[in-house]
């Protein structure tokens, strides 16, 4: 019995080098590249190394029909039957070139993706630009199982393409790989390219569903005697700065064509709104981020100045779209 | 809506040539289905239920089955295809269904070729293919980027690029025989001589100007009065009808030619009968055929394809000088009763005249001298057909004269038989060949005379010498001529008709008649090795590769310049010239900003830059002025920073 085991072990040991090299092959950068290529930086030009072409299902049916036609022509010795069969066969073959050319040499570049909240759909924008002078028709984009849409690209123009993906987790969502394809003009062949571009969409945490009262104002720490930019008593006008609430724009001044001016108020109480991680004890991280996100949105809607305090990261109070964006981005990327 | 209209139009065009052959209800049914489909599309209503479509399909199938008594075979199959393609229109859900209908459109085109392969048919069906292809492009052009004209243009380009490949395949694809038996109705509705002759048979045939066969002589053609094209020989008379059994398998009787043989090639139109036609009388037989003692040449199978064969004939001969006794008996046989007057007349001749030659001369003299009329519209004869004709009506066509003569000869004890075939033929000087039409159909007699054998006697020549010398149109009074034969007068018309026939002949010979034999002969002209299977396969593969490479490079290099906007092109040139001097326009820089920057960097060019930019902006965004573009172009041409 042991003899047999030994012999088996010895026998299998003879294959060790082979196994070793097979393992090495599987680990080789070449195969890795082939199986899981790293996302590429856009823009990408569709050269012949990237384009594949195969008959569609319609193409196969067409081929079957041609076969029947050929057999019929042979059997009836019908010369015009031969002519038509060969003409249609040649038509299909020529259409390969046209289908291929429809996608070849397009340059695909990535556009900016607008940030979304968890639960919304992240939209990835692409642009296909046609530097040649042949118009391209019906270029399809397929992400996953669904065809996201078709576009035409005029010569020396670029066309926009987009596809969506439900955002399920906060953070940076990398676009999945996708296919660009075309069956134009006859639908008998499909040419396609598989692209895995380095496009990202920022996903903010899902805002907590229930409306939660904003936390109480806190007395300003530090130089408390300074004039706070409050909201109560009008104290003058200054030029509009990015981030100022639109509610405080002096629209009458705008109407008089004096430019955008912001009304300034003296705060009666020098208090500030802090959206603080520590105000939400006893919750897990995601729930806390979710609440904080809700607060940021609510505070922004109320056009209040607010600050965000997270472990290891503090954003001093401000207001406006840019501040809101910064806060949400910080929340989205917290701990990642 | 437009796409569907295109689809309907494609299918309608594809079935149009078929409708005349279909049961009467098919056309209206297709029309109704098409209109219904359009109404559904217009009102955005749902497509009909599946059960309704199945019901319709079942009813249509039953209708077709009851009309043709079968669902198989060519005619019923095509009828089914026509109806089903329209029913399929009622359930277009996905692109797949549409593509199936479009493929059916192509298939309907090829079935059209089973019925007709003439040049006009081919052109029409090519047009259908073009429109079908354009429709297919339309359905794959998801965003409707192409309007009607570019769509047709693209279809045309695709087809034009396919043509060289198609020609290559057509010439090189090895031709083989039929792979399996053809349905019975594959070849029907052909005109031609039949194996029996009764009054009216040939005068009916005369009305058709369809081509029976074409002949190309190796030397000069024989004189018109020698152009007797021998077809079936009829031996047996019964009740007004001459007919013949299939002859027993016997070698042809001995033929002694008295002049130099004429060699020629016949291209016979399919007539779905076995016999082949030859100039009276053939010395050699076409390969694969055989002939009985009476030299009726039979092919191995009914002629269902256009058939080409070469043979040679003698126009003067001694034929069957030592006859077969059984055959002589057959050549004298008459029914026991009937036509007593004719028998009596023949009996009188037999007793008063000393030899058969004199009997023949007597009969011909009677036709020539008495009041016999050669007419296409003879009065009907009763059961005693020969008596009625000879003694009462005296008006007849060649079958009357030939039949009556043979009856008289047999009754007078002279062996005789009826020969049917064609007489005459029109020489086409453009192509140096002869056209023999159904309107040249003819019947004559052969009598057997001592020492001379079978001798051709044509009673029609006695009644109407013009028929033999000048043809049927000259022999008949103008009012009697069927419309098909009236066209011979105007010289230019005649010339046009002959040119058209020459084109058709070449089409038949080279396109439709491109069979194994012709392929081998044609390919051997270039290279002996090319005519083999391997040679053809190799040539096909290399030829296709070379052609595709050519088309691909043409597509790559021949980039259409017309599409480029001339305004944009001129402005780009201007930008390129500035870029060469280090002032490159950024992609996000508008023309006005760029001009301002360029002027700052090169104040010396301010005027030119300003002018060009202004013209460009006007042309781009302003109203059109015809003079602006040349001005812009000129300015750019002169612009040398």
């Amino acid at each position: 019995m042991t003899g047999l085991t030994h012999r088996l072990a010895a026998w299998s040991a003879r294959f060790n080098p082979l196994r070793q090299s097979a393992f090495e092959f599987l680990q080789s950068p070449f195969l890795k590249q082939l199986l899981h290529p790293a996302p590429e930086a856009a823009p990408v030009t569709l050269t012949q190394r990237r384009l594949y072409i195969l008959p569609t299902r319609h193409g196969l049916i067409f081929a079957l029909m041609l076969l029947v036609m050929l057999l019929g022509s042979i059997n009836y010795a019908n010369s015009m039957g031969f002519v038509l069969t060969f003409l249609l066969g040649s038509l299909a073959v020529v259409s390969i070139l046209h289908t291929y050319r429809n996608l070849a040499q397009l340059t695909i570049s990535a556009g900016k993706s607008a940030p979304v909240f968890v639960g919304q759909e992240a939209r990835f924008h692409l642009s296909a630009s046609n530097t040649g002078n042949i118009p391209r028709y019906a270029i399809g984009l397929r992400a996953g199982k669904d065809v996201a849409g078709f576009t035409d690209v005029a010569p020396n123009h670029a066309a926009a393409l987009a596809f969506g993906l439900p955002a399920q987790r906060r953070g940076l969502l990398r676009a999945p790989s996708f296919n660009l394809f075309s069956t134009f003009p006859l639908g008998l062949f499909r040419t396609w390219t598989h692209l895995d571009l380095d496009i990202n969409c920022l996903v903010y945490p899902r805002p907590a569903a229930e409306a939660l009262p904003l936390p109480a104002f806190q007395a300003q720490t530090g130089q408390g005697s300074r004039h706070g930019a409050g909201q109560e008593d009008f104290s003058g006008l200054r030029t509009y700065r990015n981030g100022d609430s639109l509610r405080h724009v002096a629209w009458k001044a705008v109407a008089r064509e004096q430019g955008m001016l912001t009304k300034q108020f003296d705060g009666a109480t020098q208090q500030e709104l802090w959206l603080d991680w520590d105000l939400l004890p006893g919750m897990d991280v995601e729930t806390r981020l979710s609440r904080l996100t809700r607060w940021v949105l609510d505070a922004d809607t109320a056009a209040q100045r607010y600050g965000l305090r997270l472990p290891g990261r503090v954003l001093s109070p401000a207001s406006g779209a840019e501040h809101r964006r910064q806060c949400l981005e910080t929340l989205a990327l917290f701990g990642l | 809506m437009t796409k569907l209209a295109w689809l309907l139009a494609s299918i309608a065009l594809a079935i149009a040539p078929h409708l005349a052959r279909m049961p009467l209800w098919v056309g209206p049914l297709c029309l109704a289905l098409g209109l219904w489909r359009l109404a559904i599309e217009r009102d955005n209503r749902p497509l009909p239920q599946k059960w309704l479509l199945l019901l319709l399909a079942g009813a249509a199938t039953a209708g077709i089955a009851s009309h043709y008594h079968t669902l198989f075979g060519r005619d019923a199959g095509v009828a089914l295809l026509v109806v089903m393609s329209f029913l399929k229109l009622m359930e277009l859900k996905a692109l797949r269904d549409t593509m199936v209908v479009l493929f059916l459109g192509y298939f309907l085109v090829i079935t059209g070729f089973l019925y007709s392969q003439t040049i006009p048919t081919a052109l029409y069906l090519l047009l259908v293919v073009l429109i079908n292809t354009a429709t297919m492009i339309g359905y794959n052009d998801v965003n409707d980027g192409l309007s009607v004209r570019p769509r047709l243009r693209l279809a045309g380009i695709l087809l034009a690029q396919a043509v060289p490949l198609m020609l290559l395949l057509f010439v090189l694809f090895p031709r083989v025989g039929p792979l399996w038996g053809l349905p019975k109705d594959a070849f029907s509705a052909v005109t031609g001589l039949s194996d029996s002759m009764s009054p009216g048979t040939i005068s009916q045939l005369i009305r058709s100007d369809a081509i029976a066969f074409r002949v190309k002589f190796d030397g000069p053609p024989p004189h018109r009065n020698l152009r007797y094209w021998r077809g079936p020989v009829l031996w047996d008379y019964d009740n007004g009808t001459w007919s013949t059994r299939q002859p027993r398998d016997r070698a042809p009787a001995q033929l002694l030619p008295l002049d130099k043989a004429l060699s020629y090639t016949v291209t016979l139109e399919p007539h779905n009968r076995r016999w082949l036609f030859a100039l009276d009388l053939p010395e050699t037989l076409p390969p694969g055929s055989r002939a009985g003692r009476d030299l009726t040449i039979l092919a191995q199978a009914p002629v269902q394809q256009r058939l080409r064969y070469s043979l040679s004939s003698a126009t003067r001969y001694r034929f069957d000088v030592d006859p077969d006794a059984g055959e002589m008996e057959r050549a004298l046989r008459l029914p026991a009763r009937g036509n007593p007057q004719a028998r009596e007349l023949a009996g009188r001749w037999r007793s008063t005249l000393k030899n058969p030659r004199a009997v023949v001369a007597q009969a011909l003299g009677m036709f020539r001298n008495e009041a016999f009329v050669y007419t296409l519209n003879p009065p009907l004869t009763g059961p005693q057909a020969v008596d009625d004709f000879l003694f009462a009506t005296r008006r007849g066509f060649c079958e009357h004269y030939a039949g009556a003569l043979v009856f008289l000869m047999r009754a007078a004890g002279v062996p005789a038989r009826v020969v049917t075939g064609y007489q005459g033929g029109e020489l086409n000087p453009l192509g140096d060949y002869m056209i023999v039409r159904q309107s040249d159909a003819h019947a004559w007699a052969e009598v057997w005379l001592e020492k001379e054998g079978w001798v051709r006697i044509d009673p029609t020549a006695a009644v109407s010498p013009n028929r033999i010398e000048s043809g049927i149109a000259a022999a008949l009074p103008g009012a009697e001529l069927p419309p098909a034969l009236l066209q011979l007068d105007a010289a230019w018309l005649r010339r046009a008709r002959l040119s058209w026939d020459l084109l058709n002949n070449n089409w038949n010979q080279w396109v439709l008649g491109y069979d194994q034999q012709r392929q081998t002969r044609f390919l051997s002209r270039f290279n002996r090795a090319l005519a083999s299977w391997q040679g053809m396969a190799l040539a096909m593969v290399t030829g296709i590769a070379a052609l595709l490479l050519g088309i691909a490079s043409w597509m790559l290099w021949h980039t259409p310049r017309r599409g480029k906007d001339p305004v944009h092109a001129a402005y780009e040139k201007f930008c390129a010239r500035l870029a060469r001097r280090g002032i490159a326009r950024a992609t996000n820089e508008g023309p006005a900003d760029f001009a301002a920057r360029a002027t700052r960097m090169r104040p010396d060019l301010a005027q030119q830059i300003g002018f060009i930019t202004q013209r460009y902006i006007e042309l781009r965004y302003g109203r059109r002025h015809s003079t602006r573009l040349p001005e812009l172009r000129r300015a750019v041409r002169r612009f040398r920073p």
Side-chain angles (χ1 to χ4, degrees), chain A residues 75 78-80 98 150 186, chain B residues 113 117 143 161 179-180 511:
Chain A
N75 215 32
N78 190 305
S79 275
M80 285 315 292
H98 286 260
F150 291 89
L186 296 183
Chain B
F113 286 131
Q117 301 190 72
N143 293 337
Q161 288 177 345
L179 303 174
W180 64 86
V511 181

Side-chain angles (χ1 to χ4, degrees), chain B residues 396-416:
Chain B
F397 203 61
C398 50
E399 67 262 38
H400 298 82
Y401 290 97
L405 180 73
V406 173
F407 189 94
L408 284 171
M409 290 302 111
R410 287 187 178 185
V414 182

Side-chain angles (χ1 to χ4, degrees), chain B residues 393-437:
Chain B
T393 66
R394 299 201 152 189
R395 297 165 69 82
F397 203 61
C398 50
E399 67 262 38
H400 298 82
Y401 290 97
L405 180 73
V406 173
F407 189 94
L408 284 171
M409 290 302 111
R410 287 187 178 185
V414 182
R417 60 194 182 191
V418 172
V419 184
T420 57
Y422 298 88
Q423 201 282 324
E426 181 184 15
L427 201 65
N428 189 340
L430 303 171
D432 198 23
Y433 63 94
M434 192 175 283
I435 309 163
V436 178
R437 298 170 189 277

Side-chain angles (χ1 to χ4, degrees), chain A residues 253-271:
Chain A
V254 173
R256 288 194 295 269
E257 300 193 3
Q258 291 175 336
M260 293 273 273
L261 298 174
T262 300
K263 292 184 240 176
Q264 285 197 302
F265 299 91
D266 277 339
T269 47
Q270 288 152 12
Q271 280 184 326

Side-chain angles (χ1 to χ4, degrees), chain B residues 571-572 574-591 593-595 597-598 601-602 641:
Chain B
Y571 187 69
E572 270 193 343
F574 161 74
C575 292
R577 285 191 176 163
L578 275 174
R580 248 180 274 148
R581 295 280 171 264
I583 310 169
R585 182 179 159 216
T587 28
N588 60 354
E589 203 168 18
D593 292 346
F594 177 56
R597 187 164 63 89
M601 292 167 81
R602 291 289 299 273

Side-chain angles (χ1 to χ4, degrees), chain B residues 158-176:
Chain B
L158 281 164
L159 284 169
Q161 288 177 345
V163 164
L165 279 173
M166 178 272 281
L167 288 176
L168 187 85
L169 286 166
F170 183 80
V171 171
L172 289 174
F173 186 83
R175 299 304 159 93
V176 288

Side-chain angles (χ1 to χ4, degrees), chain A residues 42-106:
Chain A
V44 167
T45 300
L46 305 181
T47 55
Q48 77 261 30
R49 292 179 56 187
R50 298 174 171 273
L51 286 175
Y52 308 92
I53 188 158
L54 277 179
T56 57
R57 196 156 38 138
H58 304 143
L60 294 178
I61 299 173
F62 190 74
L64 199 68
M65 181 191 73
L66 286 182
L67 187 67
V68 173
M69 282 185 171
L70 183 65
L71 289 178
S73 304
I74 292 173
N75 215 32
Y76 281 81
N78 190 305
S79 275
M80 285 315 292
F82 278 117
V83 167
L84 182 68
T85 308
F86 295 148
L87 184 68
L88 293 180
S90 307
L91 183 71
V93 171
V94 167
S95 86
I96 297 177
L97 298 175
H98 286 260
T99 305
Y100 183 85
R101 184 179 70 167
N102 199 34
L103 209 53
Q105 296 300 327
L106 276 183

Side-chain angles (χ1 to χ4, degrees), chain B residues 302-482:
Chain B
V303 181
Q304 295 175 331
Q305 314 281 334
R306 195 170 282 109
L307 182 69
R308 204 172 14 235
Y309 53 87
S310 299
L311 68 174
S312 62
S313 290
T315 51
R316 291 181 56 235
Y317 47 79
R318 295 254 185 280
F319 180 39
D320 205 7
V321 183
D322 304 311
D324 176 83
E327 206 172 65
M328 281 297 109
E329 189 269 324
R330 195 181 173 196
L332 287 168
R333 200 184 295 155
L334 282 177
R337 275 188 303 275
N339 299 306
Q341 285 177 284
R343 284 174 201 259
E344 194 207 317
L345 177 68
R348 226 178 311 133
W349 286 348
R350 187 180 194 171
S351 54
T352 54
L353 298 170
K354 51 185 186 301
N355 61 30
R357 213 158 309 215
V359 173
V360 172
Q362 181 74 27
L364 290 180
M366 177 185 78
F367 285 138
R368 193 178 300 120
N369 301 325
E370 295 185 24
F372 282 94
V373 177
Y374 184 64
T375 171
L376 199 50
N377 304 310
L380 283 177
T381 47
Q384 309 292 337
V386 177
D387 274 6
D388 282 0
F389 167 65
L390 284 176
F391 301 103
T393 66
R394 299 201 152 189
R395 297 165 69 82
F397 203 61
C398 50
E399 67 262 38
H400 298 82
Y401 290 97
L405 180 73
V406 173
F407 189 94
L408 284 171
M409 290 302 111
R410 287 187 178 185
V414 182
R417 60 194 182 191
V418 172
V419 184
T420 57
Y422 298 88
Q423 201 282 324
E426 181 184 15
L427 201 65
N428 189 340
L430 303 171
D432 198 23
Y433 63 94
M434 192 175 283
I435 309 163
V436 178
R437 298 170 189 277
Q438 298 298 350
S439 54
D440 294 317
H442 194 48
W444 60 93
E446 273 182 347
V447 297
W448 189 86
L449 300 173
E450 197 82 41
K451 292 195 185 116
E452 288 185 52
W454 289 102
V455 176
R456 182 175 65 226
I457 306 291
D458 189 352
T460 308
V463 183
S464 169
N466 272 343
R467 166 68 181 85
I468 310 305
E469 289 295 333
S470 317
I472 183 77
L476 291 170
E480 265 195 28
L481 275 179

